[in-house]
């Protein structure tokens, strides 16, 4: 059992290191990776650990491993970008504003409708979870990490309050990306009271059962953040 656990830990470490290198562009798409033996030597792991890591990275759509073809980097279109590991790797360090823009575009297509559904269908305990997260945001204004956690919980709670299984399944992807994007947009806005007020509008609309108002309030909240990111891209000449 100890050997199996050790192999599992090594394969997870290799998955993290190699996956991050692929996502960050250390390897070119379509390029062949080193052989299994070479990967064993490079990462200091057994063939079993390499094979497990290859399986995990293949499941994420990053690589393809076939007999006589070796291990190849898949094109970015094949990557499972909803995988929380992939998103985390792409956002680590100095995240691309383009990635943040794409994420906000995704949010603006999903969260306003989730808020509308929450206004129509949320159970009392779901609404309470949203309100609790909002209150934690108010209390934590002098503690950026606590406020960030509460802000993320606010948005995740709305996904749950939609009572829609497909929206709820977006929680891990949303939580991972929000952890980075909120840090950027809140700093740019530099108005903690305004952030709380914007979130409160969404919450009160949900509690009052006004689906259209909840949808619009969430749209405006995300659209403002998207505008901040687009301004940063314009400044960098990357729009």
């Amino acid at each position: 059992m100890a050997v199996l656990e050790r192999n599992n830990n090594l394969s997870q470490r290799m998955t993290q290191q190699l996956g991050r290198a692929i996502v960050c562009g250390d390897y070119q798409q379509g390029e062949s990776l080193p052989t299994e033996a070479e990967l064993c030597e490079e990462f200091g792991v057994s063939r079993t650990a390499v094979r497990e890591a290859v399986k995990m990275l293949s499941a994420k759509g990053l690589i393809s491993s076939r007999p006589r073809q070796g291990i190849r980097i898949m094109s970015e279109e094949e990557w499972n970008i909803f995988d929380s590991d992939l998103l985390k790797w792409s956002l680590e360090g100095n995240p691309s504003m383009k990635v943040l823009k794409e994420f906000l575009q995704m949010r603006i297509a999903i969260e306003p409708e989730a808020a509308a559904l929450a206004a129509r269908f949320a159970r009392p305990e779901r609404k309470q979870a949203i309100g609790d997260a909002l209150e934690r945001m108010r209390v934590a204004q002098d503690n950026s990490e606590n406020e960030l956690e509460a802000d993320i919980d606010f948005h995740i709670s709305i996904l749950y309050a939609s009572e829609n299984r497909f929206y709820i399944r977006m929680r891990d992807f949303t939580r991972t990306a929000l952890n980075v994007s909120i840090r950027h947009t809140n700093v740019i806005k530099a108005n903690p009271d305004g952030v709380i007020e914007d979130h409160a509008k969404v919450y009160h609309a949900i509690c009052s059962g006004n689906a259209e108002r909840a949808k619009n309030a969430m749209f405006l909240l995300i659209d403002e953040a998207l505008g901040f990111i687009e301004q940063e891209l314009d400044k960098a000449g990357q729009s």
Side-chain angles (χ1 to χ4, degrees), residues 14 35-48 50:
M14 181 180 172
T35 65
E36 188 176 278
E38 290 169 336
L39 288 172
C40 288
E41 182 176 352
E42 179 179 348
F43 288 91
V45 298
S46 67
R47 287 183 179 269
T48 300
V50 168

Side-chain angles (χ1 to χ4, degrees), residues 87-101:
L87 187 62
K88 181 177 67 176
W89 296 333
S90 68
L91 294 175
E92 282 177 345
N94 184 23
S96 162
M97 288 293 109
K98 183 176 181 294
V99 172
L100 295 181
K101 178 182 177 180

Side-chain angles (χ1 to χ4, degrees), residues 57-239:
L57 292 173
S58 296
K60 296 177 186 296
L62 289 177
I63 62 175
S64 172
S65 177
R66 296 177 182 173
R68 294 185 296 277
Q69 293 185 8
I71 307 170
R72 300 187 67 84
I73 308 296
M74 299 294 288
S75 66
E76 193 169 343
E77 289 77 11
E78 301 298 324
W79 297 358
N80 179 13
I81 59 173
F82 288 105
D83 182 277
S84 57
D85 281 336
L86 263 70
L87 187 62
K88 181 177 67 176
W89 296 333
S90 68
L91 294 175
E92 282 177 345
N94 184 23
S96 162
M97 288 293 109
K98 183 176 181 294
V99 172
L100 295 181
K101 178 182 177 180
E102 290 178 341
F103 170 63
L104 285 162
Q105 289 171 333
M106 183 73 177
R107 286 183 62 199
I108 213 167
I110 292 174
E111 291 190 54
E113 188 59 36
L117 291 173
R120 295 175 60 195
F121 301 119
R123 288 171 276 162
E125 61 269 26
R126 299 292 202 199
K127 295 179 181 178
Q128 182 64 48
I130 301 170
D132 289 346
L134 179 62
E135 182 58 28
R136 284 165 47 215
M137 287 178 66
R138 286 197 180 100
V139 171
Q141 285 191 52
D142 292 333
N143 187 315
S144 59
E145 288 303 315
N146 288 346
E147 185 177 3
L148 172 65
E149 181 180 354
D151 197 340
I152 293 172
D153 287 344
F154 178 90
H155 290 277
I156 301 301
S157 295
I158 290 175
L159 294 179
Y160 274 95
S162 73
E163 305 294 350
N164 182 299
R165 291 174 297 169
F166 294 96
Y167 286 153
I168 291 170
R169 288 297 299 172
M170 294 292 293
R171 63 185 183 268
D172 293 337
F173 171 81
T174 301
R175 182 178 294 279
T176 300
L178 279 173
N179 190 52
V180 175
S181 66
I182 289 175
R183 295 177 192 270
H184 282 264
T185 55
N186 281 5
V187 168
I188 297 170
K189 185 171 183 176
N191 182 4
D193 291 334
V195 171
I196 300 296
E197 182 181 348
D198 290 343
H199 285 69
K201 290 177 181 177
V202 178
Y203 169 64
H204 293 309
I206 290 173
C207 287
S208 66
N210 192 321
E212 192 63 27
R213 185 177 297 171
K215 182 176 183 177
N216 290 338
M218 181 62 83
F219 176 88
L220 292 172
L221 191 158
I222 302 172
D223 188 56
E224 181 182 43
L226 179 59
F228 290 146
I229 295 299
E230 288 175 337
Q231 288 174 16
E232 292 299 303
L233 286 168
D234 286 341
K235 291 177 183 178
Q238 300 174 17
S239 57

